[in-house]
Amino acid sequence: MCSSCGTEAFPRLDSVVIVAIISPDGERCLLGRQASWASGRYSCLAGFVDPGESVEEAVAREAREEAGVSLSEVFYHSSQPWPAGPSPQLMLGAIAIASTDDICPNLNELDDARWVVALPAFLASCRQTPTPPQQPAPTTRPNNPPQQPAPTT
């Protein structure tokens, strides 16, 4: 809250997706690289979520825009805070299955994109159904003590 005018301000948080795109045969993962990166450095595809866009829509759009890849399935995986960039980001991880092996990198976005053989342990973890988030344990507040069961007679 501004001490001079009382205006409330909330910190900006940008939503970003990152996706492990698995080939239709289930054996490879699509990686891309930007020209500004060190030689040999590749990553899963990532990008900002546009206003009004779901995670799944953002993943499909980024795959199409960056590597010319269409997806048959997209699954949310997990999230984590990401303190990079001009403002804090919430990185939303996904796993997707490509419709075809065809890739056509957008050279305005990527310097290169390629399928790489993925480690069996990585592929196995992608095939598992994500575990639902755990419910937090109830908290006890001093002015709201836990209810005791009524005595039985």
Side-chain angles (χ1 to χ4, degrees), residues 41-57:
R41 179 179 172 200
Y42 283 77
S43 172
C44 290
L45 303 185
F48 288 95
V49 178
D50 287 341
E53 195 173 44
S54 71
V55 171
E56 294 82 0
E57 290 167 337

Side-chain angles (χ1 to χ4, degrees), residues 13-72:
L13 179 68
D14 293 325
S15 299
V16 181
V17 292
I18 188 164
V19 58
I21 299 174
I22 307 301
S23 60
D25 66 9
E27 299 297 319
R28 294 161 295 143
C29 182
L30 181 65
L31 299 180
R33 74 174 310 282
Q34 293 182 352
S36 62
W37 292 352
S39 178
R41 179 179 172 200
Y42 283 77
S43 172
C44 290
L45 303 185
F48 288 95
V49 178
D50 287 341
E53 195 173 44
S54 71
V55 171
E56 294 82 0
E57 290 167 337
V59 165
R61 179 183 50 74
E62 287 294 336
R64 188 177 56 255
E65 285 179 0
E66 292 187 0
V69 172
S70 61
L71 305 176
S72 61

Side-chain angles (χ1 to χ4, degrees), residues 118-144:
L119 296 173
F122 169 76
L123 292 171
S125 71
C126 290
R127 291 183 186 111
Q128 294 175 357
T129 303
T131 305
Q134 298 295 317
Q135 294 296 321
T139 58
T140 303
R141 297 187 178 122
N143 55 355
N144 189 15

Side-chain angles (χ1 to χ4, degrees), residues 89-125:
Q89 299 169 0
L90 179 61
M91 182 72 73
L92 304 160
I95 298 168
I97 309 299
S99 299
T100 70
D101 289 328
D102 299 334
I103 56 176
C104 182
N106 175 348
L107 298 179
N108 292 320
E109 296 272 346
L110 298 175
D111 184 48
D112 185 31
R114 61 179 65 173
W115 293 107
V116 297
V117 175
L119 296 173
F122 169 76
L123 292 171
S125 71

